[in-house]
């Protein structure tokens, strides 16, 4: 090639720019567990400071109308497949350790697509999509590495999973009767911590949040940056531990940092949240140190709302305030959770997205960000919609409707279209349908520390790449995403226990679901009922296979949870 030196330099610069433009972004997806709307301080709660999470929120995009499923397994299935759980038979209650149920093998999932696009894929933390046969485990489903647990929870320190085998009992409320899960019978115990396919015994005593954070940081520090990374960090925090050990956090943190919280259980929960926030800061700082942050996409969200008063077995004092309902219900407190997108690839300075988004949308959205051809995306038979362009350019969302919950076994349903939401049925005879959770308005709580956000690990790492707003603007953003329950004129309460008919709400005007408008707006009610029927037509029944404790018992596998069926 005959080129003068200047021409050659220009040509090399052009080639370098093309290569840089085609470099795929690293994707860091942080999914926390059972964290409620009011458990992050950027939502207006001064009680539990979360400076690292807040730093991501204020310099990224707060996804103010992001929806998940009300229970953990369905949310994770939706993320991994881009399909509504009710369309693949994974709706309803989560998968039990001794239950022969898993994410169907005929569905290609997110890490498998990302591997084809050149990504190294790593899962750290919770799987909970079935493991009764080896082919259902993470390494067989597209992950290059796995350090975590198969089931829905483990003890924070000894990493044992206690699986209670459920029986079904009748629940009564007045003249109405329903079915409840009873867990007072047989229990199976075993270690549930694996590195790839090998049980890990030598981490006993290590606090789970720190353990998974250490692993995530190690993955980043040892990553070859010439290869794009998909790191799925699925934390145990702030899910309850095993029976009798629901709330676990380092005592020194509980006693030194949160003495101003009167409720002792909420005090321990605050320490659990603080450890989760610290984890976010450490991961962001590691990306910065490795020179990966400038080409990264970070997602932070919770898989469902807090259980709060759900049951004595897995209760935590997490808070969904002021949203109605708790985990497992179809109310906003169960399905509308904290959610953040952060990336230097964002082309705007807006800090709040008011667009409707569903957890299934991350499947095509992340594949779009990773460079999957638009024709391939449109050919996929998924329920999620590609939100990448609307997110990075702050344009209107292409989503305006979705099923919120379709659970035919528990007979609870909810759908959304625009600002309207339909709710039908009740969870456990409506015992958990009310408002729940600490409001955080304790007068002894510390003043919101904006400087602490700027000086957090995440704040220091990201500020050069995407500057946070000044203090006045930051507090304005916080005020805008703090949900209040506006007064309703002569409200009609929705009583799904007494009445079998559905209720409808205008969520924009009534985010706390206080005023049922079904009698006032029969036109909207009929349209919403038609939408519900449209979604129910494609519903795949949840088989909910019976538990097989004799076959799955960890005692048969050196006291560890392992694939237990050939």
């Amino acid at each position: 090639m005959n080129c003068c030196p200047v021409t050659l330099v220009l040509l090399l610069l052009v080639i370098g720019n093309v290569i840089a433009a085609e470099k795929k972004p690293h994707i860091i997806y942080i999914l926390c567990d059972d964290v409620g709307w009011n458990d992050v301080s950027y939502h207006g709660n001064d009680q539990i400071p979360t400076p690292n999470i807040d730093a991501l929120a204020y310099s990224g995009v707060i996804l103010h109308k992001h929806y998940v499923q009300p229970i953990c397994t369905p949310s994770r299935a939706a993320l991994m497949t881009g399909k509504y759980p009710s369309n693949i038979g994974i709706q309803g209650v989560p998968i039990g350790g001794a239950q022969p149920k898993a994410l169907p093998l005929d569905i290609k999932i997110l890490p498998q697509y990302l591997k084809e696009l050149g990504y190294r894929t790593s899962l750290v933390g919770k799987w909970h999509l079935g493991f009764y046969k080896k082919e259902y485990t993470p390494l067989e489903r597209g992950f290059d590495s796995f350090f975590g647990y198969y089931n829905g929870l483990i003890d924070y320190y000894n990493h044992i999973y206690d699986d209670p085998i459920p029986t079904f009992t009748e629940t009564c409320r007045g003249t109405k009767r329903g079915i409840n899960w009873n867990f007072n019978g047989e229990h199976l115990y075993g270690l549930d911590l694996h590195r790839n396919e090998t049980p890990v015994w030598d981490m006993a005593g290590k606090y789970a949040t720190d353990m998974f954070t250490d692993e995530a940081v190690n993955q980043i520090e040892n990553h070859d940056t010439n290869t794009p990374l998909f790191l799925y960090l699925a934390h145990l925090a702030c899910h309850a531990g095993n029976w009798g050990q629901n709330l676990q956090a380092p005592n020194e943190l509980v006693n030194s940092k949160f003495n101003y919280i009167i409720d002792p259980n909420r005090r321990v929960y605050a320490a659990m949240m603080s450890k989760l926030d610290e984890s976010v800061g450490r991961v962001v700082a590691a990306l910065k140190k490795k020179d990966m942050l400038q080409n990264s996409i970070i997602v932070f969200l919770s898989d469902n709302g807090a259980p709060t008063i759900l049951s004595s077995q897995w209760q935590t004092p997490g808070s969904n305030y002021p949203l109605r309902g708790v985990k497992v219900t179809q109310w906003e407190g169960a399905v509308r959770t904290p959610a953040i997108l952060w990336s230097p690839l964002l082309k705007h300075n807006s800090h709040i997205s008011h667009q409707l988004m569903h957890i299934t949308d991350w499947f095509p959205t992340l594949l779009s960000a990773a460079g999957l051809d638009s024709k391939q995306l449109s050919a996929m038979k998924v329920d999620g919609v590609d939100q990448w362009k609307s997110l990075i350019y702050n344009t209107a969302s292409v989503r305006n409707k979705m099923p919120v919950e379709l659970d035919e076994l528990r007979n609870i349903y909810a759908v959304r279209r625009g600002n309207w939401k339909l709710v039908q049925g009740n969870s456990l005879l409506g015992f958990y349908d009310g408002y729940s959770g600490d409001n955080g308005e304790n007068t002894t709580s510390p003043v919101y520390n904006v400087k602490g956000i700027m000086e957090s690990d995440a704040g220091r790492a990201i500020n050069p790449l995407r500057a946070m707003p000044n203090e006045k603007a930051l507090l304005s953003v916080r005020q805008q995403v703090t949900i209040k329950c506006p007064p309703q004129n002569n409200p009609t309460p929705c009583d799904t226990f007494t009445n079998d008919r559905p209720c409808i709400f205008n969520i924009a005007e009534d985010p706390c679901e206080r005023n049922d408008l079904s009698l006032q707006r029969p036109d909207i009610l009929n349209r919403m009922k038609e939408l519900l029927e449209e979604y129910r037509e494609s519903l795949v029944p949840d088989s909910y296979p019976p538990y097989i404790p004799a076959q799955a018992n960890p005692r048969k596998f050196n006291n560890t949870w392992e694939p237990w069926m050939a």
Side-chain angles (χ1 to χ4, degrees):
M1 179 173 65
N2 295 321
C3 292
C4 68
V6 174
T7 304
L8 181 59
V9 169
L10 290 174
L11 180 60
L12 290 174
L13 285 173
V14 170
I15 293 172
N17 288 335
V18 170
I19 292 172
E22 293 179 348
K23 193 172 183 181
K24 299 181 187 301
H26 306 293
I27 299 171
I28 315 300
Y29 200 101
I30 304 172
L31 186 65
C32 56
D33 205 331
D34 284 11
V35 170
W37 181 268
N38 204 39
D39 292 332
V40 291
S41 52
Y42 74 84
H43 274 161
N45 182 2
D46 293 338
Q47 192 183 60
I48 305 178
T50 53
N52 291 286
I53 295 170
D54 290 17
L56 280 182
Y58 294 130
S59 63
V61 178
I62 297 168
L63 306 171
H64 195 53
K65 295 180 181 177
H66 185 285
Y67 283 78
V68 293
Q69 299 300 123
I71 307 178
C72 40
T73 290
S75 276
R76 292 158 205 276
L79 169 64
M80 288 290 113
T81 67
K83 296 177 182 288
Y84 299 135
S86 56
N87 284 347
I88 55 176
I90 303 291
Q91 68 274 25
V93 296
I95 297 173
Q99 193 175 31
K101 182 178 178 181
L103 195 65
L105 292 173
D106 60 351
I107 301 175
K108 189 174 177 180
I109 67 173
L110 182 60
Q112 292 172 307
Y113 280 103
L114 288 171
K115 275 179 66 70
E116 291 178 355
L117 291 170
Y119 278 75
R120 179 179 172 274
T121 58
S122 176
L123 167 56
V124 176
K126 178 173 174 174
W127 174 237
H128 209 192
L129 290 172
F131 69 97
Y132 71 99
K133 292 184 178 181
K134 181 181 177 181
E135 52 262 41
Y136 292 107
T137 58
L139 294 188
E140 303 293 325
R141 302 306 302 265
F143 284 103
D144 293 315
S145 65
F146 168 56
F147 178 74
Y149 55 106
Y150 292 136
N151 287 288
L153 64 108
I154 52 175
D155 183 275
Y156 279 77
Y157 286 102
N158 64 27
H159 318 135
I160 298 294
Y161 173 53
D162 168 5
D163 187 27
I165 307 304
T167 56
F168 299 96
T169 57
E170 190 173 62
T171 300
C172 301
R173 184 180 173 190
T175 60
K176 290 207 170 186
R177 300 179 182 275
I179 298 297
N180 193 7
W181 282 265
N182 186 293
F183 298 102
N184 295 323
E186 181 180 5
H187 287 238
L188 304 181
Y189 301 87
L191 177 80
D192 191 3
L193 183 64
H194 294 76
R195 182 173 296 282
N196 297 325
E197 297 175 352
T198 304
V200 177
W201 290 94
D202 61 358
M203 301 292 282
K206 182 76 172 178
Y207 188 64
T209 307
D210 292 337
M211 178 176 69
F212 293 134
T213 305
D214 289 347
E215 177 67 19
V217 169
N218 184 63
Q219 293 273 348
I220 293 167
E221 290 176 344
N222 293 287
H223 181 66
D224 178 359
T225 56
N226 292 315
T227 300
L229 172 66
F230 172 56
L231 173 59
Y232 176 31
L233 174 54
H235 267 297
L236 170 63
C238 286
H239 198 290
N242 289 318
W243 286 33
Q245 296 289 329
N246 291 28
L247 302 173
Q248 296 176 292
N251 287 332
E252 63 275 13
L253 182 60
V254 176
N255 296 327
S256 65
K257 194 172 181 180
F258 298 105
N259 284 332
Y260 57 85
I261 299 177
I262 297 172
D263 179 354
N265 289 326
R266 182 72 172 165
R267 197 180 305 148
V268 179
Y269 185 85
M272 295 167 71
M273 273 300 303
S274 183
K275 274 294 184 181
L276 176 63
D277 181 74
E278 176 188 301
S279 172
V280 171
R282 290 183 58 198
V283 168
V284 175
L287 290 167
K288 172 71 173 179
K289 185 177 180 181
K290 188 69 174 181
D291 290 328
M292 294 168 62
L293 192 59
Q294 65 270 24
N295 188 39
S296 287
I297 297 167
I298 301 175
V299 179
F300 173 87
L301 72 149
S302 180
D303 64 343
N304 47 250
T308 304
I309 58 169
L310 178 60
S311 70
S312 59
Q313 291 90 0
W314 295 291
Q315 178 183 357
T316 71
S319 174
N320 306 316
Y321 181 87
L323 300 177
R324 181 176 184 174
V326 302
K327 173 182 177 177
V328 314
T329 71
Q330 71 275 50
W331 304 102
E332 293 289 281
V335 296
R336 188 174 176 183
T337 63
I340 301 165
L341 169 67
W342 184 92
S343 178
L345 303 177
L346 296 170
K347 309 297 184 184
H348 59 87
N349 293 320
S350 178
H351 300 288
I352 308 173
S353 169
H354 293 283
Q355 308 294 345
L356 202 61
M357 189 168 183
H358 189 265
I359 191 170
T360 53
D361 296 345
W362 288 112
F363 182 92
T365 297
L366 294 178
L367 290 178
S368 177
L372 188 67
D373 182 81
S374 58
K375 291 183 179 179
Q376 290 177 275
L377 274 174
S378 52
M380 289 181 176
K381 295 180 179 179
V382 296
D383 300 308
V385 297
D386 178 8
Q387 301 260 25
W388 183 236
K389 287 185 178 179
S390 64
L391 289 171
I392 64 171
Y393 293 109
N394 194 29
T395 57
S397 169
V398 293
R399 177 182 285 283
N400 70 342
K401 63 180 181 178
M402 64 186 180
V404 174
E405 172 68 325
L406 302 176
D407 186 343
E408 80 287 1
L409 289 183
R410 295 189 298 144
N411 197 33
I412 59 172
Y413 302 95
V415 295
R416 272 206 65 169
R417 172 181 277 147
N419 290 331
W420 291 95
K421 180 180 177 181
L422 176 145
V423 172
Q424 183 172 352
N426 59 73
S427 180
L428 299 177
L429 295 178
F431 282 116
Y432 307 126
D433 286 354
Y435 299 88
S436 59
D438 195 309
N439 62 19
E441 295 173 0
N442 188 324
T443 56
T444 61
S445 294
V447 175
Y448 194 57
N449 186 0
V450 174
K451 185 178 179 181
I453 297 168
M454 305 287 187
E455 295 179 352
S456 67
D457 286 344
R460 287 196 300 267
I462 63 186
N463 199 44
L465 295 171
R466 275 190 63 85
M468 275 180 272
N470 61 41
E471 182 170 348
K472 182 179 179 181
L474 183 151
L475 293 174
S476 174
V477 170
R478 188 182 192 226
Q479 186 175 26
Q480 292 175 62
V481 296
T482 299
I483 291 179
K484 302 292 184 183
C485 297
Q488 305 294 315
N489 294 323
N490 299 315
T492 303
C494 175
D495 183 357
T496 58
F497 170 68
T498 304
N499 300 315
D500 293 325
R501 61 177 176 79
C503 303
I504 60 170
F505 304 94
N506 186 321
I507 297 299
E509 298 177 357
D510 180 21
C512 301
E513 299 170 292
R514 289 177 164 177
N515 188 18
D516 172 24
L517 298 173
S518 58
L519 298 178
Q520 298 177 38
R521 295 298 306 269
D523 56 329
I524 299 294
L525 174 63
N526 288 333
R527 294 215 302 263
M528 296 300 288
K529 288 168 68 175
E530 289 172 0
L531 180 64
L532 173 59
E533 289 308 310
E534 175 187 325
Y535 285 128
R536 289 179 64 170
E537 285 179 4
S538 61
L539 183 145
V540 175
D542 181 357
S543 61
Y544 197 75
Y547 284 56
I548 312 177
Q551 194 167 345
N553 198 325
R555 284 183 294 182
K556 298 179 62 176
F557 306 96
N558 194 29
N559 295 309
T560 63
W561 286 98
E562 300 287 353
W564 45 268
M565 185 179 288

